[in-house]
Amino acid sequence: MYNCRPPNTMNWAFLQGLLSGVNKYSTGFGRIWLSVLFLFRVLVYVVAAERVWGDDQKDFECNVKQPGCENVCFDYYFPVSHIRLWALQLIFVSTPSLLVVMHVAYREERERKNKLKNGETCRSIYNDTGKKIGGLWWTYVISLVFKAGIDSGFLYILYTIYKDFELPRLVKCELAPCPNTVDCFIARPTEKTIFTIFMVVTAALCVLINVCEFTYLVSKRIVSSCCSSGKRRHSSQSTRGPTTLFEKPSSANVNPEDKSVAGNQSPNVIIHLNS
């Protein structure tokens, strides 16, 4: 007797490796975002949402058996299945995080080649390959913009297709080849509506976390730049010392006896400059 269990649709080892790889280079907001993504979105999608939707077209029934009527009505009211739209959303929103990991891997490879060429005791190119400075900072910020934009775009698409994110119990269809206005019924509309609202709320929460992290990184960068410029200005002012100039006194204030001595000597100019 063969085991007819369906194949596992999720490679948990890959997800675990991706989570740990991105988590090392993320801020506190980034770790919260990853937790919400994988625990409340991917896990709910794999464990519950796929089973709730199942075969949508098979569970969609109309009160007439005209050939082609159910297919046309289903395609009109459900142009894109929720479950497939969420699958695309999760794939696309996880991709920008890989840019950070790839950038760090690129830095590590440059560091390895540098040591291989100049020896282990040579000067390192980067003090810390995972520190978000320079190009890595921009890569991280751009990934945040992409993640927030992707989630917002998919939320807009879902809202455009399904108004108010709610699935009705009954829809009326009058498209050809249906003979007249027919009533069509959706399987488990309340349960599907609950899952839809849950996925929408978690996606909106991820967008909010991305916005907070973006604001945190940009404000931190601005404060750091202001502090650095202030320190440089203070250090440049502290290195400047007082300048004292002693010039030749005027002849009106010199005694006649001293003029003969002063006439045979060149004037002394003492300049003290501390730079």
Side-chain angles (χ1 to χ4, degrees):
M1 184 175 180
Y2 295 99
N3 187 1
C4 298
R5 293 175 58 188
N8 189 7
T9 58
M10 183 62 66
N11 189 343
W12 295 105
F14 170 75
L15 283 180
Q16 184 180 3
L18 179 63
L19 177 61
S20 60
V22 177
N23 197 35
K24 290 190 299 183
Y25 314 114
S26 300
T27 62
F29 290 105
R31 295 185 181 95
I32 296 174
W33 181 86
L34 286 169
S35 300
V36 173
L37 176 68
F38 287 99
L39 295 180
F40 294 99
R41 296 178 67 180
V42 175
L43 192 60
V44 171
Y45 171 85
V46 173
V47 175
E50 283 186 329
R51 298 182 182 181
V52 170
W53 260 260
D55 192 352
D56 291 348
Q57 189 169 0
K58 183 179 179 181
D59 297 334
F60 185 82
E61 296 181 356
C62 298
N63 57 2
V64 295
K65 297 302 179 183
Q66 179 73 21
C69 179
E70 289 186 355
N71 294 338
V72 171
C73 293
F74 180 82
D75 182 70
Y76 177 77
Y77 286 103
F78 300 97
V80 180
S81 174
H82 286 70
I83 208 70
R84 292 175 179 85
L85 190 64
W86 289 334
L88 290 175
Q89 182 179 2
L90 292 174
I91 291 172
F92 283 126
V93 83
S94 302
T95 303
S97 298
L98 295 177
L99 296 176
V100 179
V101 179
M102 293 171 63
H103 197 145
V104 174
Y106 166 75
R107 283 185 165 188
E108 292 176 349
E109 182 64 17
R110 284 194 63 191
E111 196 69 47
R112 186 189 68 82
K113 290 182 178 180
N114 179 51
K115 291 183 178 180
L116 186 63
K117 180 179 179 180
N118 301 319
E120 293 292 333
T121 59
C122 67
R123 183 178 180 181
S124 300
I125 302 176
Y126 308 100
N127 295 329
D128 185 2
T129 55
K131 190 174 183 180
K132 290 183 287 295
I133 56 175
L136 185 59
W137 186 89
W138 286 103
T139 302
Y140 196 91
V141 170
I142 291 173
S143 69
L144 292 178
V145 174
F146 273 108
K147 288 187 290 188
I150 290 171
D151 269 335
S152 301
F154 273 95
L155 287 177
Y156 176 76
I157 293 172
L158 188 64
Y159 178 79
T160 303
I161 298 176
Y162 306 102
K163 299 298 181 181
D164 300 330
F165 307 113
E166 184 177 356
L167 278 75
R169 293 180 173 84
L170 172 67
V171 293
K172 294 184 178 295
C173 180
E174 51 185 11
L175 300 173
C178 298
N180 48 31
T181 302
V182 299
D183 297 334
C184 298
F185 304 91
I186 302 172
R188 300 187 296 275
T190 304
E191 189 176 13
K192 291 179 179 179
T193 301
I194 293 174
F195 272 99
T196 301
I197 294 175
F198 178 82
M199 296 296 285
V200 167
V201 170
T202 52
L205 179 61
C206 286
V207 173
L208 179 62
I209 295 172
N210 288 327
V211 172
C212 292
E213 188 174 12
F214 177 84
T215 305
Y216 166 75
L217 288 175
V218 173
S219 59
K220 184 179 178 181
R221 182 70 176 268
I222 294 174
V223 171
S224 178
S225 299
C226 293
C227 293
S228 299
S229 61
K231 289 180 180 179
R232 287 196 298 267
R233 191 181 302 111
H234 178 72
S235 61
S236 62
Q237 291 178 354
S238 62
T239 54
R240 295 177 183 176
T243 303
T244 306
L245 297 177
F246 295 99
E247 297 181 353
K248 177 183 176 182
S250 60
S251 58
N253 298 327
V254 179
N255 294 328
E257 297 177 356
D258 298 334
K259 286 184 179 181
S260 60
V261 179
N264 298 328
Q265 297 179 357
S266 60
N268 294 328
V269 179
I270 305 174
I271 301 175
H272 298 283
L273 294 176
N274 292 328
S275 56

